[in-house]
Amino acid sequence: MNPDFETLEQTMRSQRAIRFFTNDPVDDELVARLIRTATFAPSGGNRQPWRFIVIRDKGTKAALGK
């Protein structure tokens, strides 16, 4: 078995829901990497209709939350 797959499998089986977040900023490079990775997720009909919006402004986030 591929050791990378085993690591991924273990992570996916043990990941718990996250209920608390910090106010620490997330690096732009990490956000870009996460978005690139997310584009490999399955999509209905393999259409891959990806649209990502990164919102950092607290006021905008609050307005969207309402």
Side-chain angles (χ1 to χ4, degrees), residues 8-19:
L8 174 63
E9 182 180 30
Q10 180 60 32
T11 300
M12 292 175 74
R13 288 175 178 247
S14 63
Q15 178 60 40
R16 298 174 44 183
I18 298 172
R19 304 272 191 257

Side-chain angles (χ1 to χ4, degrees), residues 31-43 48-55:
V31 171
R33 184 176 177 190
L34 291 167
I35 290 172
R36 278 193 309 272
T37 302
T39 64
F40 287 92
S43 64
Q48 302 167 333
W50 311 125
R51 301 291 185 272
F52 298 97
I53 299 173
V54 177
I55 300 171

Side-chain angles (χ1 to χ4, degrees), residues 18-39:
I18 298 172
R19 304 272 191 257
F20 301 98
F21 300 92
T22 69
N23 289 324
D24 297 342
V26 178
D27 181 63
D28 288 340
E29 190 169 321
L30 177 58
V31 171
R33 184 176 177 190
L34 291 167
I35 290 172
R36 278 193 309 272
T37 302
T39 64

